[in-house]
Amino acid sequence: MQSQKSKIDIDELRQKYLEFFQQKHHLIYPSASLKSDDPTLLFNSAGMVQFKPYFLGATPKFAGYEGIWHRVTTAQKCLRINDIENVGRTLRHHSFFEMMGNFSFGDYFKKEAAQWAWEFLTSPEWLGLDPERLYVTVYLDDDEAFEVWADHVGVPKERISRWGEDENFWPANAVSAGPNGPCGPCSEIFYDRGPEYGSADESGPNTGSGDRFIEIWNLVFTQFDRQDGGVLTPLPQKNIDTGLGFERLVAVMTDAEDAYSTELFQPTIRKVAELSGKAYEGTKSVSHRVIADHARAVTFAISDGILPANDGPGYIVKMLLRRAARHAWLLGLREPVLYQLVEQIIETMGEAYPELRGGKERVQGIIKTEEAQFLRTLESGIQRVSQLLDQLSGATLLGEQAFDLWQTYGFPLDLTMEMAAERGVKVDREGYERARAQAKEDSKGGKEVAALFTASKDYLGKIAKEHGETGFTGYQTMVDEAKVIALIHNEDETQKATEGEHVQIILNLTPFYAEGGGQIGDSGVLEWPSGKALITNTTKSKEGLYLHQARILRGELKSGQLVQAMVDPSRRETEKHHSATHLLHGALRTVLGKHVAQAGSLVTPERLRFDFSHPQAISPEEITKIEVLVNRWIQADFAVNWQIVPIATAREQGAMMLFGEKYGEKVRMVKVGDDENAVSIELCGGTHVRRTGEIGSLIITSEEAVSAGVRRIEALVGMAALSYAQGLRESTASAARQIGAKPGELSKRIDKLQSDLKTAQREISQLRDKLAAAQTGGAQSELKEAAGFSYSTVILEGLDATALRNAADKLLQQSKADVVLLASGKLMVAKVSKDAQARGAHAGNLIRELAKRAGGGGGGRPDMAQAGVKDSSKLAAAFAALPEILSALTGG
């Protein structure tokens, strides 16, 4: 039995779950990106997140899938960091994990959910687990669930236990503590791994301190609406939301001690051991587990377009990466190594998530850049933390100090807390957050809200259910006849709209492109015999409906009206810029390397913006090569073709995909050039030119950094490029006229002027030094005494800061004074000899007090300091106070 289990195919196990529920008439729906569309979440952290509207009664119509689906099953990528400090330290915790789920939106309920879960787990046709080793828990007063398990499924009553809202209600403790909103009891299935995994105090699920009984599946029965005071009102629609942790399932099915001992993690752990020369030794090998877990999480996050950053989800990615890098450092690895683990992660997960394979070089490049940057400061950061902890007199490190470690060394709070905990020291997190808030406004990505769900109207779902998705004809034409199937005003359907009103218009078909893939939505007009509407933008709903944002210019528009839909001609310029982004992408990969991948874009009629992965600034020579290559491809007048193909075919042909984008089984593949010599193949739903010659030309206008490992290029094509070139020509000619040169000689003339300017500046500096020498000549014989120090003070005329410092240096050297104080205009400079410093004189402290007397401020080193004053008329009085200040500061 064990030998058979150990050989189980992980990918087959995942697919088996999905196919089981497909046989139960569920739609197999792709995982949502880790990047959550929910403003209350940093990441997608559960399978149900992408289905929230349908739990509230929205019509479950999914774009790209025919029909209405009240039953859905998924394998969802999830990321949670609420217990990050335990990841690696225990054998149970993970940051990234997969959640297998089956969902019912007002269809089946407890009986079917329980029966199917039991069938999948115990049937020899599926997993074939021993039913004698399965235990079930139910909510305290959920008699219905107890009856289902005992009478319909056949679980012995002694293996069914009841628990309170902290264990068997979702959300936990929702009855007494909230939040308000949809909730319900849950029922969990536990697997008995045997007494060798347990402890003496373990007698069943949720008991004792051992790991004998592990939860593998949670069935949530969403049947109540929690209201103020803990009142539970039955929902009109009862739902099922289940979650089966894939990592735990793999451990159970392979008889492994924990998920880290399975082939989900072992290829990565073996690589860590190889690189470090330190074998994995189970429980005590914390660093191996941290690295394996975090490398997997970061690889998936970056593949989904979540890049390392200083705020929001990107901050979590950076924190995970740096935490893993620190543990690699603890294993003795002093060079970037995490990027090398991407290979093992793809080996393990690439079959189920092919986007990992397509983004391999990009992900490796970003991880390597970020890790190298961190390693440059890690050692000094670790030393600084150690110093702070050595100097600490109490048991708490100040939050301000922890934040300074982040600002100065890029040392994450997580690592500071971990190092502090190793010495039994706590970190003041509240103080850290206060300090961080002062430096920069906190990210808005992780806001907490009072309710888990926000109800929304289902008018779009109902329209899609009745009429289907909007047909798009814009690939073939910019003018088409269409029928109005719905008018939306103030988030509700209306039958008519009159002159001056703003409405959303839904047509049965449309030539208007809906905003997406970086391309802006189309604008234009709708016309009918008695009226006209201006379309200002076009978007697409998740149900597949095109929403035309409109203002009625003339007449009255009613549902059912036939209209002439006409896209604004500026779309042609947008198409030029969009096709140019594909050429630019191809040129970047040709010139810079295959690690380059799109990280975002904006395509308008006026310009294009293209973000891409690359670890460093692009040199002027590289920009020239990229620009020349794109323009050669434009002049070659390549054909631009597209076709709908299976996504597997697109991958086989090497089509570039946008990271973090969810693709269906069929995709639109855009190819530039012929099949054998294509210069670009990308998955894209946007509109394009027919041949590259239509683009005209491309000019790159800027290149800059967006974030670590991501660059941005802005460029113009077509008429926008021509206008830009004409503007540059006019500016060049104007500049040449102003300095008396021909446009072709402008650079040489500017070099000459700069050389002349430097010469003049040197001469001016020399004259100022001579002026200062003349004015301070008599000061050497005018030394005064105060508090045991000799000093000289002089107010000069016409000197800048540099000349004033030079004069102070010279006067200190020639006069042999202990302290020299000079001023010119509103500037002050103080110099203090080494001997005077040893006796307590400090230039920075002196000038700070002196400047206050003239309404200014400043400071500096013990030997030299400078300040600015607001009222130069008070300089003499301030200088006169020097003896008093010297005496006060030195105790003389």
Side-chain angles (χ1 to χ4, degrees):
M1 175 75 173
Q2 288 193 352
S3 61
Q4 290 177 344
K5 277 190 169 189
S6 64
K7 296 178 181 177
I8 194 165
D9 186 290
I10 290 174
D11 291 316
E12 284 184 9
L13 180 60
R14 184 188 294 107
Q15 191 60 29
K16 187 176 282 191
Y17 176 91
L18 298 174
E19 290 175 354
F20 173 84
F21 282 100
Q22 186 179 47
Q23 291 187 14
K24 305 297 183 185
H25 309 294
H26 288 62
L27 169 68
I28 298 179
Y29 198 67
S31 170
S33 166
L34 283 178
K35 185 190 297 183
S36 178
D37 294 328
D38 188 327
T40 70
L41 298 172
L42 286 172
F43 304 100
N44 276 314
S45 55
M48 52 75 63
V49 171
Q50 65 174 321
F51 302 121
K52 280 186 177 183
Y54 312 118
F55 285 107
L56 292 166
T59 303
K61 172 72 179 74
F62 302 100
Y65 296 89
E66 293 184 6
I68 306 299
W69 292 89
H70 289 279
R71 301 179 181 185
V72 175
T73 184
T74 64
Q76 174 62 48
K77 300 175 286 188
C78 300
L79 185 59
R80 293 180 189 169
I81 56 151
N82 53 312
D83 53 5
I84 190 66
E85 67 280 357
N86 291 324
V87 173
R89 297 195 176 279
T90 75
L91 301 176
R92 299 189 306 272
H93 290 86
H94 307 286
S95 56
F96 172 90
F97 59 95
E98 290 182 88
M99 187 63 75
M100 314 303 293
N102 56 285
F103 309 94
S104 167
F105 313 124
D107 188 32
Y108 62 86
F109 200 44
K110 295 181 183 179
K111 179 181 176 183
E112 294 86 350
Q115 288 177 327
W116 292 341
W118 197 262
E119 179 186 353
F120 178 70
L121 292 173
T122 63
S123 170
E125 182 184 352
W126 299 101
L127 299 191
L129 291 176
D130 182 359
E132 297 296 319
R133 301 181 73 169
L134 296 177
Y135 289 70
V136 173
T137 64
V138 299
Y139 181 52
L140 204 59
D141 61 4
D142 192 354
D143 296 333
E144 181 185 2
F146 191 99
E147 180 183 325
V148 165
W149 286 113
D151 299 343
H152 296 279
V153 178
V155 180
K157 292 182 179 180
E158 61 270 19
R159 292 215 308 274
I160 307 173
S161 55
R162 297 175 183 263
W163 297 85
E165 62 174 314
D166 58 331
E167 294 286 354
N168 278 80
F169 205 89
W170 186 89
N173 296 308
V175 180
S176 59
N180 288 344
C183 60
C186 61
S187 188
E188 296 174 328
I189 303 174
F190 286 75
Y191 181 75
D192 179 3
R193 305 171 73 195
E196 63 271 26
Y197 290 98
S199 57
D201 57 351
E202 217 174 352
S203 59
N206 298 326
T207 65
S209 56
D211 291 324
R212 174 175 177 174
F213 300 91
I214 63 167
E215 176 214 330
I216 55 174
W217 206 334
N218 186 13
L219 315 181
V220 179
F221 311 129
T222 314
Q223 63 186 99
F224 298 115
D225 180 14
R226 197 267 189 192
Q227 299 174 355
D228 289 342
V231 176
L232 300 180
T233 303
L235 287 169
Q237 171 182 297
K238 295 179 179 180
N239 307 298
I240 290 293
D241 162 22
T242 85
L244 186 154
F246 190 63
E247 285 74 15
R248 289 189 181 183
L249 180 65
V250 172
V252 166
M253 294 303 296
T254 57
D255 281 338
E257 182 178 357
D258 57 83
Y260 290 106
S261 300
T262 72
E263 287 303 295
L264 282 172
F265 289 96
Q266 277 299 303
T268 310
I269 288 175
R270 286 193 291 267
K271 185 66 175 179
V272 173
E274 175 192 326
L275 292 169
S276 65
K278 296 180 180 179
Y280 181 65
E281 298 179 279
T283 306
K284 67 180 184 180
S285 295
V286 173
S287 291
H288 291 71
R289 286 192 296 276
V290 171
I291 294 168
D293 175 275
H294 290 5
R296 190 169 81 139
V298 167
T299 296
F300 270 92
I302 294 175
S303 292
D304 277 354
I306 308 171
L307 305 179
N310 290 332
D311 287 285
Y315 173 76
I316 304 302
V317 174
K318 175 175 279 193
M319 180 266 288
L320 290 171
L321 203 157
R322 293 188 165 194
R323 190 167 187 256
R326 188 228 169 189
H327 278 276
W329 191 88
L330 290 176
L331 291 177
L333 296 164
R334 298 295 185 263
E335 297 295 328
V337 295
L338 301 180
Y339 75 97
Q340 297 182 48
L341 305 179
V342 173
E343 188 79 53
Q344 282 67 42
I345 292 161
I346 292 175
E347 173 191 325
T348 304
M349 308 294 289
E351 185 69 27
Y353 301 99
E355 64 270 19
L356 295 177
R357 290 178 176 152
K360 173 185 165 184
E361 291 177 331
R362 171 182 183 258
V363 173
Q364 286 179 321
I366 292 172
I367 290 177
K368 186 176 183 180
T369 299
E370 185 67 29
E371 187 181 5
Q373 186 178 35
F374 180 52
L375 285 174
R376 284 194 292 269
T377 59
L378 178 60
E379 189 157 358
S380 56
I382 288 175
Q383 291 173 353
R384 179 58 181 151
V385 174
S386 297
Q387 289 173 359
L388 288 173
L389 294 174
D390 289 341
Q391 298 164 4
L392 194 66
S393 57
T396 302
L397 184 69
L398 294 177
E400 292 85 350
Q401 292 175 307
F403 181 68
D404 183 63
L405 288 166
W406 164 251
Q407 273 197 317
T408 306
Y409 301 99
F411 208 76
L413 175 63
D414 169 74
L415 299 191
T416 302
M417 292 178 68
E418 193 164 321
M419 289 185 66
E422 289 168 359
R423 298 204 194 184
V425 173
K426 293 183 178 179
V427 176
D428 175 17
R429 291 200 64 163
E430 290 184 3
Y432 177 92
E433 290 302 332
R434 284 195 300 271
R436 187 166 182 246
Q438 289 175 4
K440 189 173 183 179
E441 185 182 13
D442 284 336
S443 167
K444 298 178 182 179
K447 296 183 291 184
E448 294 291 336
V449 293
L452 288 173
F453 292 85
T454 301
S456 59
K457 297 179 180 178
D458 188 35
Y459 55 89
L460 295 178
K462 293 175 182 175
I463 294 168
K465 183 176 181 179
E466 181 179 351
H467 298 281
E469 299 177 25
T470 305
F472 180 59
T473 62
Y475 295 137
Q476 296 83 25
T477 182
M478 289 174 55
V479 179
D480 212 340
E481 185 176 74
K483 179 181 179 181
V484 176
I485 61 172
L487 298 167
I488 308 299
H489 182 65
N490 290 335
E491 295 191 352
D492 215 345
E493 195 169 355
T494 183
Q495 293 304 306
K496 65 179 181 179
T498 57
E499 187 172 320
E501 282 192 296
H502 290 265
V503 293
Q504 291 178 321
I505 301 172
I506 302 175
L507 307 174
N508 65 325
L509 56 85
T510 182
F512 285 79
Y513 179 79
E515 180 181 334
Q519 181 174 333
I520 64 168
D522 278 340
S523 59
V525 295
L526 301 182
E527 290 186 348
W528 59 99
S530 59
K532 183 176 183 179
L534 175 68
I535 306 300
T536 56
N537 192 20
T538 309
T539 58
K540 187 178 180 181
S541 76
K542 64 180 183 298
E543 295 86 1
L545 298 174
Y546 281 58
L547 308 177
H548 305 79
Q549 318 299 323
R551 179 166 64 90
I552 307 301
L553 299 178
R554 186 178 69 251
E556 181 180 81
L557 182 61
K558 294 182 178 181
S559 186
Q561 175 71 54
L562 292 176
V563 297
Q564 191 78 355
M566 294 176 283
V567 178
D568 190 274
S570 63
R571 154 92 90 74
R572 293 302 184 199
E573 294 301 311
T574 303
E575 291 175 348
K576 293 176 185 178
H577 282 92
H578 200 155
S579 297
T581 63
H582 287 220
L583 297 181
L584 179 60
H585 194 181
L588 286 165
R589 287 173 62 82
T590 300
V591 174
L592 303 180
K594 299 304 180 184
H595 65 279
V596 169
Q598 181 175 344
S601 67
L602 174 67
V603 179
T604 76
E606 296 84 20
R607 66 190 177 101
L608 71 85
R609 185 180 73 210
F610 191 76
D611 297 346
F612 57 97
S613 55
H614 189 59
Q616 61 206 32
I618 304 177
S619 69
E621 294 76 17
E622 289 171 330
I623 288 178
T624 298
K625 288 180 181 178
I626 292 162
E627 204 171 45
V628 167
L629 185 55
V630 172
N631 281 287
R632 282 179 178 167
W633 289 342
I634 290 171
Q635 292 169 20
D637 198 29
F638 290 129
V640 180
N641 297 307
W642 62 268
Q643 59 184 138
I644 304 297
V645 299
I647 192 166
T649 301
R651 288 195 175 104
E652 288 171 6
Q653 295 193 26
M656 295 298 298
M657 303 180 188
L658 184 62
F659 292 94
E661 191 77 11
K662 181 190 289 186
Y663 295 104
E665 290 302 311
K666 297 281 188 177
V667 292
R668 182 172 183 260
M669 186 171 68
V670 177
K671 184 180 295 185
V672 181
D674 57 43
D675 290 341
E676 293 184 2
N677 300 297
V679 298
S680 170
I681 307 175
E682 295 196 23
L683 299 191
C684 179
T687 60
H688 291 271
V689 298
R690 270 56 53 194
R691 303 191 70 85
T692 59
E694 297 173 31
I695 298 172
S697 62
L698 175 138
I699 296 177
I700 294 175
T701 58
S702 68
E703 189 274 339
E704 62 183 358
V706 177
S707 60
V710 179
R711 309 296 300 180
R712 170 174 292 170
I713 278 180
E714 298 207 14
L716 306 172
V717 305
M719 294 304 297
L722 176 61
S723 177
Y724 179 79
Q726 290 173 335
L728 283 180
R729 183 176 62 195
E730 292 172 6
S731 297
T732 302
S734 175
R737 286 194 298 270
Q738 291 180 47
I739 61 174
K742 295 179 180 179
E745 301 171 350
L746 186 59
S747 179
K748 185 184 296 184
R749 178 64 173 147
I750 289 175
D751 288 343
K752 178 66 167 59
L753 288 173
Q754 287 180 327
S755 176
D756 293 345
L757 178 61
K758 288 178 181 178
T759 300
Q761 287 173 336
R762 280 195 301 271
E763 292 174 352
I764 291 171
S765 178
Q766 292 168 358
L767 288 171
R768 280 180 173 150
D769 287 343
K770 290 179 181 178
L771 177 63
Q775 295 182 68
T776 58
Q780 300 176 34
S781 59
E782 298 178 7
L783 293 183
K784 300 175 183 178
E785 293 280 340
F789 296 93
S790 62
Y791 70 90
S792 179
T793 61
V794 185
I795 297 177
L796 308 173
E797 298 291 337
L799 302 188
D800 62 8
T802 301
L804 198 61
R805 287 193 298 271
N806 291 340
D809 284 335
K810 189 170 293 185
L811 182 58
L812 184 72
Q813 182 180 7
Q814 294 176 350
S815 69
K816 307 300 182 183
D818 292 319
V819 177
V820 165
L821 183 63
L822 302 184
S824 181
K826 294 184 178 182
L827 297 174
M828 297 172 62
V829 170
K831 293 283 292 186
V832 176
S833 69
K834 289 184 178 180
D835 177 64
Q837 292 173 50
R839 290 186 285 127
H842 189 293
N845 296 338
L846 280 173
I847 207 158
R848 187 180 301 109
E849 295 301 319
L850 286 163
K852 289 179 182 177
R853 307 292 178 101
R861 304 188 307 266
D863 64 318
M864 194 282 288
Q866 63 185 48
V869 300
K870 294 181 179 179
D871 189 350
S872 58
S873 66
K874 295 182 179 179
L875 283 172
F879 278 20
L882 180 59
E884 173 192 341
I885 294 171
L886 259 176
S887 180
L889 292 177
T890 61

